[in-house]
Amino acid sequence: MTKLAIVESPAKAKTISSFLGSEWTVLASYGHIRDLPTKGLSVDVDNHFKVDYELRARKDVISDIKAALKDADELYLATDEDREGEAIAWHLQEVLKPRIPVKRMVFHEITRSAIDEAVSNARDIDYRMVDAQDSRRIVDRLFGYPVSEVVWRKIRQGLSAGRVQSPAVRLVVDRERERMAFVRADYWDLAAQFPTEPSFTASLHSIDGARIASGKDFDQAGVAKEGVVVLDEAGADQLVTALAPPAQTAAQAGGSTFTVRSVESKESKQKPKAPFITSTLQQVGGSKLRMTARQVMQVAQGLYERGYITYMRTDSTTLSADAVVTARRLIEEKFGRDHLPDEPRTYAKKAKGAQEAHEAIRPAGDAWRTAEQLDGELRGHDLALYRLIYQRTLASQMVDARLNTVTLKIDAPAQDGRMTEWSASGRTVVFPGYLAVYGFHGEDTEEEDDDQARLPAVAEGDVLPRPEVTADGHTTQPPARYTEATLVKALEDLGIGRPSTYASIMGTILARDYVWKKGTALVPSWDAFAVVNLLTGHFTSLVEYDFTARMEESLDEIASGTGQREPFLNQFWFGNGTPGLTDLVKKALEQADPALINAVPIGVDEDGEPVVVRNGKFGPYVKRGEDTASVPQDLPPDELTIDRAMELLSAPKGDEPIGTDPESGLPVFAKLGRFGPYVQLGDADTLPEKQKPKMASLFKDMALESITVDDALKLLSLPRVVGVDPADGIEITAQNGRYGPYITKEKDSRSLESEQQLFDLTLEQALALLAQPKQFGRRGAPKPPLRELGEDVASGQPMVLKEGRFGPYVTDGETNASLRAGDTVEEITPERAMELLQIRREAAPAKKKASARKKAPAKKKKAAAAKAPAKKKAPAKKAAAKKTAAEDPSVAGDGEA
């Protein structure tokens, strides 16, 4: 009997086919083969919400599957075990219309035993799960298209709204608003370094019984809570002097004596964390490995498809009985019976809307290998992520760590009569328990390891040697911006989205420029503020943080059979007694005021005139009455204070000249553009038709507010002819480039040390500089990369940062991606480079992908089958690229128009 199995990706097909016999053919569908049409609402809301799905799969993929189906006696639909996988299986059945028995085959790990069990326990398609996934997809479209139309009309074209992406953007904007409202406060504290063995440091705790203020004692307005002492710099310095007079011992001066008042010892237990689910894996992958959510999912999917870990899209912390047996056996073998609890540990999932549909993420099979055993077989991020999963799984089934914390309280009377109290604490591991997996320290948490300093053996009443006392100043910090890891945690805690959507949410809000990255922090754009203003003002119920959680509960009810698809969709769209989405859209189109939506208050000037930020055709600008000024694109919103706004507004206006060039008679302008300040000679009113004005950027030490016409003309005189090389008569010029000043002689160039050298460099100095060894090899050779950034996880190719005609960009040899706002040549990380490349791949025009497929139809046809080695010759990178696009949940969309 011939059996045909269909999975989503070629990698998965290859692994599964290795476990099945010669009577099996395993083909790849390359993810979703059908989806909603790309244009229009495409949902008949008046006809039971009927959708006419369109075919998305390549013709050669479908023809290969249909050809294999003709020779098969049974069809196994072996797509993923979640709702999305169930829907893909249903779409395959609808398109193929098989006349042979159809079976649904599900598994949570790709091992021989799991595949054999899945074949033995094949079932029918679960149409309730299909209805739930279909309902989610329809709601995303019903939300995305109409609401995005409102966004286009009230803000600008090119923006979008989405059921999950919009609450995510709102979280980032709300955090930035907290930072904008935050008032910083200064405070000081004291530290005493004791020359004991071992040495240790104690912190000033209180003065005369009143506790010294720390950062957590100040509110958003910078006001300290009652009952704490706020030390300023003068008070801190005065106390240092009163405690330890310089160049005198305590005995000589009759000064302060530091006496141990108490020694407290307390033993505590520390429990291991639950095994990984999708969201926690993304969080730890981000904090420990500096990977984006998308990169974590790409690596995890590869590990799953090659049989190293279990299914990576799950919100269940449960381990199977077999997995618990394996974990307990390994713990006893590697760490001893005393590291094993009497009973297996279980973990309750507390996140909102958890489905508990799958097992937690763990090593696959029943013979787990350590990361050290896989070193060489796996490498880079593959190995690092596997190590985290292995360690977390084992640790979750081990005993608690036992810790001992010793706290010293120290009294020291100051010479001015005040009594100061100091404290120091140290922690030791009494019994490592689960920490043994991590080498006794450094668990996979977002926080840094909190091992405290060792303390000397002292007793109550001991007089300590005189310490060195120092004062330290601090400034309170606003709430930290979200990173991808912390935003994923916030989404999970609020029940927004599902594990499979987190990576696509991050990719979408970055690709749409709703947020940009400053290091790893997510900074909202001014467009994001405008969209959130619109949605919270006119679609309040749909962007409340619990809306998505409530919707997921409804989808769970549909999947379990306690709810129905059509009543759920009716309630969402028509309202049935309460305003539905169609009512909200109509009202917003009629009533939403673009002037209010697009305004973000910054403050008021000295006369009480309000200053706001607005979005314009050429980017954001500050506005005070009729006065406006552009906002630099790399200026975070919380740094646009009222003082900074007034500086921008007081800078020379682009339409008012700062003087006139005496030679040409043309006006000279000083302007602030999106890429910084610059000067300009002439304009459309004073230059011949179609002639562009000459422009020059300001030097780094120049300010737009103080630029003079003489300074501007000096800048506009560049490039400067330094002289002519007497040896060959070729001219040497000095000019300013994107990456600094340089001299050039035909195609030969050398960098200058300062911008001032552009005007001061002599011909002799220039000739000496050109005589030095060339920086970039032989004449005409391509410039070397600005930086090398390691290997790209998706393509497997080396990434380099290069200087292009339009600025720096990162490339893996096939895909080029320009750096964005917040990215710098010096600070960009390999993880950020991979993210930019992936965003660029996904934004590539569809017609380019189609033409690439036309070039090699034979190889692509063979790439789908995984029955015999002869049928696996498709280039790996093209198969991987297709898989990434097809299997990424963002293909199904998040209500984006």
Side-chain angles (χ1 to χ4, degrees), residues 563-801:
Q564 299 296 320
R565 169 186 180 274
E566 192 167 345
F568 165 72
L569 295 172
N570 264 311
Q571 174 68 37
F572 176 75
W573 184 250
F574 294 112
N576 296 338
T578 58
L581 181 60
T582 182
D583 302 312
L584 296 175
V585 168
K586 181 180 179 181
K587 189 175 180 180
L589 288 171
E590 293 173 352
Q591 299 181 5
D593 184 353
L596 295 177
I597 292 166
N598 280 284
V600 180
I602 298 300
V604 295
D605 67 6
E606 294 178 351
D607 300 323
E609 181 81 13
V611 179
V612 299
V613 174
R614 293 186 180 278
N615 285 289
K617 182 178 180 181
F618 301 105
Y621 61 94
V622 288
K623 188 176 192 304
R624 178 190 56 179
E626 298 302 315
D627 198 8
T628 63
S630 296
V631 174
Q633 67 169 358
D634 59 350
L635 182 68
D638 74 329
E639 294 181 20
L640 184 56
T641 61
I642 185 64
D643 291 338
R644 184 73 177 96
M646 297 307 296
E647 287 179 10
L648 295 173
L649 289 166
S650 64
K653 295 294 178 283
D655 52 357
E656 292 293 333
I658 60 172
T660 303
D661 176 19
E663 291 188 13
S664 64
L666 292 173
V668 179
F669 301 90
K671 299 187 175 186
L672 178 64
R674 292 185 65 192
F675 303 103
Y678 65 98
V679 291
Q680 174 179 307
L681 182 63
D683 59 7
D685 295 331
T686 56
L687 291 170
E689 188 176 356
K690 295 184 179 181
Q691 180 177 330
K692 293 182 179 180
K694 186 173 183 179
M695 302 175 187
S697 296
L698 267 62
F699 286 174
K700 293 178 182 178
D701 60 352
M702 293 180 172
L704 196 63
E705 297 81 2
S706 57
I707 191 80
T708 66
V709 67
D710 291 336
D711 293 332
L713 291 173
K714 216 174 171 185
L715 294 172
L716 290 165
S717 69
L718 297 172
R720 175 177 74 94
V721 177
V722 178
V724 175
D725 187 340
D728 51 23
I730 298 176
E731 193 173 76
I732 301 171
T733 60
Q735 44 196 304
N736 212 6
R738 183 179 179 91
Y739 298 106
Y742 65 99
I743 56 170
T744 182
K745 175 185 171 185
E746 287 190 332
K747 295 182 180 180
D748 197 9
S749 62
R750 298 289 186 278
S751 296
L752 298 177
E753 293 181 358
S754 69
E755 291 170 317
Q756 188 57 41
Q757 284 185 291
L758 290 169
F759 302 114
D760 300 341
L761 195 76
T762 65
L763 177 60
E764 291 74 18
Q765 291 171 327
L767 290 172
L769 195 57
L770 289 168
Q772 294 177 6
K774 297 177 181 178
Q775 188 176 356
F776 299 124
R778 67 181 188 280
R779 180 181 296 229
K783 290 184 178 181
L786 301 172
R787 284 182 58 195
E788 295 181 355
L789 296 167
E791 184 178 297
D792 180 25
V793 170
S795 68
Q797 301 300 313
M799 300 180 297
V800 295
L801 192 64

Side-chain angles (χ1 to χ4, degrees), residues 257-272:
T257 300
F258 287 77
T259 306
V260 177
R261 187 179 76 187
S262 66
V263 181
E264 297 178 1
S265 180
K266 183 179 180 181
E267 188 166 310
S268 61
K269 292 183 179 180
Q270 186 168 297
K271 297 180 180 296

Side-chain angles (χ1 to χ4, degrees), residues 110-386:
I110 304 178
T111 59
R112 186 178 300 278
S113 59
I115 298 302
D116 289 343
E117 184 178 349
V119 173
S120 301
N121 294 282
R123 57 170 173 80
D124 295 330
I125 290 176
D126 187 335
Y127 290 99
R128 294 178 302 184
M129 289 181 67
V130 174
D131 278 349
Q133 177 65 17
D134 194 46
S135 299
R136 185 200 70 80
R137 187 70 187 96
I138 290 171
V139 166
D140 286 348
R141 178 56 63 92
L142 294 180
F143 186 114
Y145 265 83
V147 179
S148 292
E149 183 181 354
V150 179
V151 172
W152 297 343
R153 293 192 186 184
K154 301 299 181 177
I155 303 176
R156 68 174 176 83
Q157 291 279 345
L159 300 176
S160 69
R163 177 180 63 87
V164 180
Q165 85 176 43
S166 296
V169 172
R170 182 185 172 189
L171 280 169
V172 179
V173 169
D174 285 351
R175 179 57 56 85
E176 195 71 12
R177 283 185 170 135
E178 290 179 42
R179 292 175 63 87
M180 294 168 73
F182 187 82
V183 178
R184 297 176 186 269
D186 294 329
Y187 65 97
W188 286 70
D189 59 20
L190 271 61
Q193 177 74 39
F194 290 91
T196 54
E197 181 56 43
S199 64
F200 73 99
T201 301
S203 300
L204 179 63
H205 178 269
S206 60
I207 302 175
D208 291 334
R211 186 169 56 82
I212 297 297
S214 63
K216 63 183 180 182
D217 293 318
F218 294 85
D219 61 19
Q220 282 279 104
V223 178
K225 64 174 64 172
E226 293 184 7
V228 297
V229 176
V230 180
L231 282 178
D232 58 15
E233 183 175 8
D237 288 342
Q238 182 182 23
L239 188 55
V240 168
T241 302
L243 285 166
Q248 290 182 317
T249 67
Q252 290 172 329
S256 302
T257 300
F258 287 77
T259 306
V260 177
R261 187 179 76 187
S262 66
V263 181
E264 297 178 1
S265 180
K266 183 179 180 181
E267 188 166 310
S268 61
K269 292 183 179 180
Q270 186 168 297
K271 297 180 180 296
K273 289 182 170 58
F276 280 127
I277 59 175
T278 303
S279 59
T280 54
L281 182 64
Q282 291 175 1
Q283 292 165 43
V284 174
S287 61
K288 286 293 181 181
L289 305 180
R290 299 183 63 82
M291 297 170 67
T292 65
R294 185 182 299 274
Q295 290 162 4
V296 170
M297 293 309 291
Q298 285 177 342
V299 173
Q301 182 160 321
L303 292 172
Y304 165 66
E305 290 177 344
R306 288 176 285 160
Y308 289 103
I309 64 172
T310 54
Y311 190 53
M312 67 289 169
R313 289 178 185 145
T314 175
D315 53 15
S316 170
T317 54
T318 302
L319 290 177
S320 68
D322 290 343
V324 170
V325 169
T326 300
R328 289 175 66 85
R329 174 175 53 79
L330 287 173
I331 292 166
E332 187 167 3
E333 289 176 359
K334 293 181 176 297
F335 305 105
R337 183 69 181 80
D338 56 349
H339 283 72
L340 196 62
D342 294 335
E343 298 293 333
R345 287 185 179 272
T346 57
Y347 295 87
K349 184 68 178 68
K350 296 181 180 179
K352 291 184 179 181
Q355 295 179 46
E356 302 293 352
H358 313 298
E359 191 180 355
I361 304 170
R362 61 166 175 83
D366 57 3
W368 304 346
R369 289 183 286 173
T370 66
E372 288 69 31
Q373 290 171 322
L374 290 174
D375 194 2
E377 187 173 331
L378 295 177
R379 60 191 180 93
H381 281 152
D382 285 353
L383 185 63
L385 198 67
Y386 178 86

Side-chain angles (χ1 to χ4, degrees), residues 341-512:
D342 294 335
E343 298 293 333
R345 287 185 179 272
T346 57
Y347 295 87
K349 184 68 178 68
K350 296 181 180 179
K352 291 184 179 181
Q355 295 179 46
E356 302 293 352
H358 313 298
E359 191 180 355
I361 304 170
R362 61 166 175 83
D366 57 3
W368 304 346
R369 289 183 286 173
T370 66
E372 288 69 31
Q373 290 171 322
L374 290 174
D375 194 2
E377 187 173 331
L378 295 177
R379 60 191 180 93
H381 281 152
D382 285 353
L383 185 63
L385 198 67
Y386 178 86
R387 177 182 286 108
L388 287 180
I389 294 168
Y390 174 89
Q391 290 175 334
R392 180 80 163 233
T393 308
L394 238 59
S396 72
Q397 292 302 312
M398 296 174 70
V399 297
D400 297 345
R402 297 202 309 273
L403 311 171
N404 185 58
T405 301
V406 176
T407 301
L408 301 183
K409 297 292 185 181
I410 303 167
D411 288 339
Q415 286 185 311
D416 57 11
R418 289 180 290 176
M419 175 60 74
T420 65
E421 180 185 312
W422 304 71
S423 65
S425 59
R427 193 181 70 172
T428 57
V429 177
V430 178
F431 180 74
Y434 79 93
L435 290 177
V437 170
Y438 304 101
F440 297 93
H441 67 280
E443 191 189 357
D444 52 358
T445 59
E446 289 184 55
E447 299 81 19
E448 293 297 323
D449 302 336
D450 62 349
D451 290 341
Q452 300 178 35
R454 292 190 303 121
L455 298 177
V458 295
E460 183 178 332
D462 285 356
V463 176
L464 299 174
R466 178 182 159 190
E468 178 184 356
V469 181
T470 57
D472 297 309
H474 309 276
T475 301
T476 57
Q477 298 300 312
R481 290 190 178 97
Y482 286 108
T483 63
E484 284 201 20
T486 56
L487 184 55
V488 164
K489 185 177 189 305
L491 292 171
E492 180 197 22
D493 290 344
L494 292 167
I496 298 174
R498 274 288 185 253
S500 60
T501 66
Y502 293 140
S504 64
I505 292 169
M506 301 303 150
T508 298
I509 64 178
L510 283 162
R512 300 280 184 183

